[in-house]
Amino acid sequence: MAHANKKQFAVIGMGRFGLSVATALSNMGLDVLAIDADEHRTQMVANLVTHAVSADSTDEEALRALGIRNFDVVVVAIGEDIQASILTTLILKDLGSPLIVVKAQNELHGKVLQKIGADKVIYPERDMGLRVAHHLTSPNVLDYIELSDEYSIVEMRVSAEMVGKNLIELDIRARFGCNVMAIKRGARMNISPSAAERLTTDDVLVIVGEKNDLTKLELAYAEA
């Protein structure tokens, strides 16, 4: 079922999160296999992805028959059933899946998943809460991405106070300990912005830094 020429993704669990991941990958032109034990759910997603199959992911033979180990990335997006999520992850590890990304319900579930071999554990509810909190406290923040426990990236709309100034004058690195990685201007992304370039009203800054430093930066320009 997997072809060698293009990166293959399998998404297990077609709840709201799994469906969202599967359709987003599919919209990017990637090959996606959607798997859910509920046939009704797989029928609903069949037209949105490359393949949709009804199968029990806790059944090793069923996953083996799908050639799951041939997929470059397997996303386990199983919702409420923590036991099924853990068992599916164990089977995928046993079958030799190269990269296993698993959705965790909470910190304890996440720790178990890491112990049994999940390559990446994601917390969609927690991360979405973080993003919403940043949007609410800092109207200029368009997106907030957690890189690790210490570091994050923010996409921040240029505030009125920044317009007409350049990066030298703003001196974000010295004042807040954060680095401007890029400036987005319309469809154009400048990944090595000149420090002398003047910022305009519609610019968006892509900034990386420690979480506490980014929060200070956000709050300093929140009122502007």
Side-chain angles (χ1 to χ4, degrees):
M1 200 173 278
H3 309 111
N5 58 348
K6 201 196 288 186
K7 222 172 187 190
Q8 306 288 311
F9 292 83
V11 182
I12 300 173
M14 284 296 108
R16 193 166 43 177
F17 175 70
L19 180 62
S20 149
V21 171
T23 50
L25 289 167
S26 191
N27 290 339
M28 291 162 75
L30 298 162
D31 283 351
V32 180
L33 167 65
I35 302 168
D36 196 285
D38 183 336
E39 199 171 333
H40 178 63
R41 280 182 164 180
T42 51
Q43 283 172 352
M44 282 174 62
V45 76
N47 294 331
L48 304 172
V49 297
T50 321
H51 303 283
V53 177
S54 177
D56 177 3
S57 64
T58 63
D59 178 346
E60 184 171 343
E61 285 312 309
L63 289 184
R64 195 191 298 276
L66 289 171
I68 201 78
R69 58 175 303 201
N70 299 323
F71 287 80
D72 301 287
V73 183
V74 182
V75 180
V76 181
I78 294 168
E80 299 301 314
D81 193 341
I82 287 177
Q83 193 175 321
S85 157
I86 290 169
L87 192 49
T88 300
T89 305
L90 275 169
I91 292 169
L92 290 169
K93 197 72 189 167
D94 202 40
L95 290 174
S97 290
L99 184 63
I100 306 165
V101 179
V102 193
K103 170 193 171 181
Q105 295 290 88
N106 51 49
E107 297 290 335
L108 184 59
H109 182 201
K111 280 182 180 164
V112 173
L113 291 169
Q114 281 172 327
K115 276 193 165 55
I116 63 173
D119 297 294
K120 186 170 173 56
V121 175
I122 47 179
Y123 302 87
E125 286 85 2
R126 185 193 70 183
D127 293 348
M128 186 48 72
L130 258 177
R131 287 183 179 193
V132 171
H134 278 267
H135 290 314
L136 291 174
T137 55
S138 316
N140 291 330
V141 171
L142 302 176
D143 203 356
Y144 180 90
I145 300 158
E146 196 174 16
L147 295 177
S148 69
D149 289 342
E150 289 88 30
Y151 289 93
S152 294
I153 292 175
V154 295
E155 285 193 2
M156 185 173 165
R157 193 183 288 113
V158 165
S159 68
E161 195 184 320
M162 294 175 171
V163 173
K165 293 183 177 170
N166 60 29
L167 296 180
I168 298 168
E169 291 161 346
L170 289 175
D171 208 7
I172 286 170
R173 186 184 294 179
R175 288 172 62 205
F176 301 100
C178 303
N179 288 303
V180 177
M181 294 163 55
I183 298 173
K184 286 163 85 171
R185 187 167 291 168
R188 194 172 72 91
M189 168 85 88
N190 182 358
I191 54 169
S192 52
S194 159
E197 191 170 347
R198 303 271 164 201
L199 297 174
T200 67
T201 314
D202 299 325
D203 286 353
V204 172
L205 301 179
V206 182
I207 305 166
V208 66
E210 287 192 30
K211 291 178 183 176
N212 292 341
D213 294 333
L214 286 169
T215 301
K216 286 176 197 161
L217 168 67
E218 288 168 28
L219 294 174
Y221 289 105
E223 302 305 320

